[in-house]
Amino acid sequence: MTETEMERAESAQSAAEAEQAIRRETHDLVVVGGGPAGLAAAQEAYDQGVEDIVILERDFELGGILQQCIHNGFGLHYFDEELTGPEYAQEFIENVAERGVDIRLNTMVEEVTDEKIVYAVSEDDGLTEIDAEAVVLAMGCRERTREALDIPGDRPAGVFTAGTAQRYINMEGKMPGEKAVILGSGDIGLIMARRMYLEGADVEAVLEILPYTGGLTRNVVQCLEDFDIPLRTQQTITEIYGDERVEGVTVQEVDKDFEPIPGTEYDIECDTVLLSVGLIPENELSEGAGVDMHAVTGGPVVDDGRETSVDGIYACGNVLHVHDLVDWVTEESMIAGRSVAKQLQGDIEVREDPIEIESTGAVSYVVPERITKADDDREKLPLYLRVYAPMDEVFVTVECGDEQLAREFERRAEPGEMITVDIDTEALADLPENRLTVDVVPKEEI
Amino acid sequence: MSSDTVEITCIACPVGCDVSLEVDDGEIQSIEGNTCPRGADYAKEEYRNPTRILPTTARVAGGVLPRVPVKSAEPMPKPELEDAMAEIAAVEVDAPIELGDVIVENVCDTGVDIVATRDLPATEE
């Protein structure tokens, strides 16, 4: 053999070996992600009759982000009692274990195709190719970073996303620093201010670029006011400085267009900056599978069963849209689990005339975006929505042509709090047109 | 003691009313600013005996993680939170740990126990 021929023979042989090394499996349902969304979807699908379920989880244990959210405030809607994140997670971890769901930890999903072939790798099993009847995407979300904000200045150590700091402190027992400034007053920022303070750090300030906090009032009270931590609104960090470690930040007030106002600069000395500046649904796998994406939520466009534009691929939880309460993640994921089960059992009818759901006015988005299933067993169909800005005393309305299908009063609507409005499924039987409009109307206009 | 005004933000719902209490000699004279009865109840309780659930972590020896999350089994007096943190910091527990295990009994003499909020397996040797 010539040298080229030998090379060819060798590469053919190694390709054949690699081919053999791939484990090939078929399963009814593959759930990507073992956080609250994946766990609830798997549990409900099992309870509705799907027994061959695999959960693929990249971490060394199940539970997802709940395991580092050690604070209380979870479960008030779903369990009717106040739990911490780990307690909430453990309930569902035990439930899937009792049902004998196949759980694969330390397993990273590399690709999901539009034919529902799932490629996953792990140290123990190498590469596995799973041919699935249905896939639930439940990868959650990730945090926006300093790079996403383009904060100018040096690049020293000591700049963390709030969630990274949370994992270091709560799970790994490591303090990120001693003197912190927190940018962003969403709930994670507020919770981490208290956590840093109680673990002995000085928390100099929580800065918020908006005129109002994005967090719950109870967190402002119990995380900041309890410990005299100042919340400064309409201010942001315009420079981070420090040689190897953060030495301080420059803060500026901003105008209504969020532009820094010249002359308002002041410095805060600190060794740590925590960023709590938003969450982004983690959808690389979804996009790889070719599902249609939604411009506002950053997640897939789904129907009432949480099925994406690709047949048999579902999405639920924070990968679909970022939730403020895990209770709604559970509810939504159970909708997905139930819908998967009905589809796999051939027990679901598709509407001849899908209904499109549009958000209008002050409504920033509604999930789901369309109704395609004719599932007669449901009495109510919940719509999840958010508003652009805080408003007092409003009605959320769902209308079809001149007909009003649902109306819900909210004493206060805030972008940080998801609103649910239930549609009576009977009302969907005979509609004047195949388009629903969701709006938020001030009380006095009704 | 003389008469005083105490401002309390109600957290019973997202409205977040600013409730003010007129207090004379430690006795609540009047409550204003709340838009529903829950606001008055909350403000009274928050003035007389503010309590909080304390979620934190405790050191673990031989576990799959070096910390286990814990909480006060019931709401505890707010002024004791920082002393309770110090008492919990002095403890190290051996894995395995089960959800609900008492990590510190009767923390700071409040009558409240600190309990684990998850199972934490031991590392496999």
Side-chain angles (χ1 to χ4, degrees), chain A residues 224-244:
Chain A
L224 302 187
E225 291 173 13
D226 273 7
F227 308 107
D228 295 322
I229 298 169
L231 170 65
R232 300 190 188 142
T233 53
Q234 293 181 286
Q235 294 190 15
T236 194
I237 295 175
T238 50
E239 190 180 346
I240 295 175
Y241 54 89
D243 192 0
E244 292 190 354

Side-chain angles (χ1 to χ4, degrees), chain A residues 60-61 67 70-72 82 84 86-87 90 170-173 195 197-199 217-218 221-222 225-226 411-412 414 417, chain B residues 9-11 14-16 35-36 42 52-57 64-67 69 71 78 81-82 85 99 117-119:
Chain A
F60 80 100
E61 62 178 359
Q67 297 289 18
I70 64 165
H71 52 280
N72 51 304
E82 193 172 18
T84 64
E87 288 171 311
Q90 187 157 328
N170 293 346
M171 296 180 75
E172 300 178 17
R195 195 67 192 118
Y197 177 89
L198 284 174
E199 287 293 344
T217 308
R218 55 173 283 162
V221 172
Q222 299 199 346
E225 291 173 13
D226 273 7
R411 284 187 67 185
R412 185 164 171 81
E414 290 188 22
E417 297 201 24
Chain B
T9 308
C10 176
I11 61 165
V15 175
T35 48
C36 80
Y42 174 81
R52 300 286 186 265
I53 296 271
L54 175 62
T56 181
T57 57
V64 293
L65 290 166
R67 295 287 183 278
K71 69 172 184 184
K78 187 177 127 188
L81 292 180
E82 291 182 47
M85 286 294 293
L99 192 151
T117 56
R118 63 167 286 179
D119 289 355

Side-chain angles (χ1 to χ4, degrees), chain B residues 6-120:
Chain B
V6 180
E7 303 285 345
I8 287 170
T9 308
C10 176
I11 61 165
C13 83
V15 175
C17 295
D18 294 315
V19 183
S20 34
L21 307 180
E22 285 302 324
V23 181
D24 194 9
D25 244 358
E27 290 293 314
I28 299 170
Q29 302 299 319
S30 66
I31 301 177
E32 277 173 29
N34 55 304
T35 48
C36 80
R38 286 194 296 167
D41 291 344
Y42 174 81
K44 267 187 233 168
E45 190 61 24
E46 182 68 8
Y47 174 69
R48 290 183 185 141
N49 179 30
T51 58
R52 300 286 186 265
I53 296 271
L54 175 62
T56 181
T57 57
R59 283 190 179 76
V60 176
V64 293
L65 290 166
R67 295 287 183 278
V68 64
V70 300
K71 69 172 184 184
S72 57
E74 293 149 52
M76 56 177 289
K78 187 177 127 188
E80 303 289 340
L81 292 180
E82 291 182 47
D83 287 345
M85 286 294 293
E87 219 175 295
I88 297 161
V91 171
E92 184 173 70
V93 274
D94 291 325
I97 296 159
E98 282 187 21
L99 192 151
D101 281 359
V102 175
I103 305 297
V104 177
E105 218 172 302
N106 184 23
V107 69
C108 297
D109 265 333
T110 54
V112 177
D113 292 341
I114 301 293
V115 296
T117 56
R118 63 167 286 179
D119 289 355
L120 195 79

Side-chain angles (χ1 to χ4, degrees), chain A residues 314-358:
Chain A
Y314 293 72
C316 55
N318 283 348
V319 81
L320 185 54
H321 58 124
V322 176
H323 296 62
D324 37 300
L325 295 181
V326 70
D327 303 67
W328 306 136
V329 169
T330 300
E331 183 181 90
E332 176 173 87
S333 304
M334 290 190 156
I335 291 171
R338 169 195 162 92
S339 186
V340 166
K342 289 211 162 219
Q343 189 184 32
L344 292 182
Q345 292 154 0
D347 189 22
I348 207 152
E349 279 179 46
V350 176
R351 289 181 73 98
E352 286 169 16
D353 50 346
I355 303 165
E356 298 295 325
I357 304 174
E358 283 183 11

Side-chain angles (χ1 to χ4, degrees), chain A residues 259-396:
Chain A
E259 289 298 325
I261 302 170
T264 62
E265 299 89 344
Y266 68 97
D267 285 4
I268 305 177
E269 234 180 76
C270 59
D271 63 14
T272 303
V273 177
L274 299 191
L275 303 173
S276 172
V277 289
L279 301 166
I280 308 165
E282 195 163 330
N283 274 296
E284 283 74 12
L285 292 174
S286 323
E287 285 173 21
V291 310
D292 290 345
M293 300 295 289
H294 190 282
V296 178
T297 62
V301 174
V302 292
D303 69 10
D304 49 322
R306 302 304 185 268
E307 189 174 9
T308 67
S309 60
V310 177
D311 184 44
I313 298 186
Y314 293 72
C316 55
N318 283 348
V319 81
L320 185 54
H321 58 124
V322 176
H323 296 62
D324 37 300
L325 295 181
V326 70
D327 303 67
W328 306 136
V329 169
T330 300
E331 183 181 90
E332 176 173 87
S333 304
M334 290 190 156
I335 291 171
R338 169 195 162 92
S339 186
V340 166
K342 289 211 162 219
Q343 189 184 32
L344 292 182
Q345 292 154 0
D347 189 22
I348 207 152
E349 279 179 46
V350 176
R351 289 181 73 98
E352 286 169 16
D353 50 346
I355 303 165
E356 298 295 325
I357 304 174
E358 283 183 11
S359 46
T360 184
V363 179
S364 58
Y365 74 79
V366 181
V367 170
E369 290 89 358
R370 64 175 68 110
I371 301 171
T372 69
K373 315 268 192 257
D375 180 351
D376 296 334
D377 300 341
R378 305 178 290 203
E379 282 176 16
K380 304 258 179 217
L381 194 151
L383 301 183
Y384 299 149
L385 60 121
R386 283 185 195 275
V387 294
Y388 282 114
M391 286 180 289
D392 284 314
E393 309 213 307
V394 290
F395 281 99
V396 179

